[in-house]
Amino acid sequence: ISVVHETHSMTDQQYAAAIYDGPSQGLLSFLFQFALSRAMFDLGFFGGHYLIHHPKLYGFIHRKHHEHFEPTVVTNNNFSVLDLIIEAMVPFTAGLGTLAALRTFGF
């Protein structure tokens, strides 16, 4: 409660200084961060998707996704919860983790 009270008593300049993340590293840094985090996201998706195609996991995690004989727009939305967790959270974590690491080391 005291933290909320303290932020409400800050001036605009104090608040801006408290949330300031340092100087911008520029367009090249942004493009590098974007490209690397996107590549890690795709690598995470590939790894997760490759994992759920393993014969011991495919049947109870990913088979539902491949049940359609005539693909349509909604075919991609046919998945189990565990399938969604693996194919969404693994890549998201890989991409965001890469971005966090880059920001930590000053990129």
Side-chain angles (χ1 to χ4, degrees), residues 48-59:
H49 199 93
Y50 185 81
L51 178 71
I52 59 178
H53 272 269
H54 188 276
K56 291 184 179 182
L57 300 176
Y58 179 82

Side-chain angles (χ1 to χ4, degrees), residues 27-57:
L27 180 62
L28 287 178
S29 178
F30 167 77
L31 293 173
F32 174 71
Q33 290 175 49
F34 180 80
L36 192 56
S37 62
R38 178 61 201 207
M40 292 307 293
F41 179 93
D42 286 344
L43 185 62
F45 179 83
F46 171 78
H49 199 93
Y50 185 81
L51 178 71
I52 59 178
H53 272 269
H54 188 276
K56 291 184 179 182
L57 300 176

Side-chain angles (χ1 to χ4, degrees), residues 9-97:
S9 65
M10 287 182 176
T11 66
D12 289 342
Q13 289 175 336
Q14 289 171 324
Y15 182 73
I19 63 169
Y20 182 63
D21 192 27
S24 171
Q25 300 297 320
L27 180 62
L28 287 178
S29 178
F30 167 77
L31 293 173
F32 174 71
Q33 290 175 49
F34 180 80
L36 192 56
S37 62
R38 178 61 201 207
M40 292 307 293
F41 179 93
D42 286 344
L43 185 62
F45 179 83
F46 171 78
H49 199 93
Y50 185 81
L51 178 71
I52 59 178
H53 272 269
H54 188 276
K56 291 184 179 182
L57 300 176
Y58 179 82
F60 72 95
I61 294 178
H62 195 60
R63 182 183 342 176
K64 181 178 181 181
H65 175 73
H66 290 280
E67 287 178 346
H68 292 274
F69 294 108
E70 295 180 20
T72 65
V73 174
V74 296
T75 300
N76 194 45
N77 296 329
N78 190 26
F79 47 77
S80 68
V81 173
L82 193 54
D83 194 353
L84 175 65
I85 290 170
I86 292 170
E87 289 195 90
M89 293 309 294
V90 169
F92 179 76
T93 303
L96 194 58

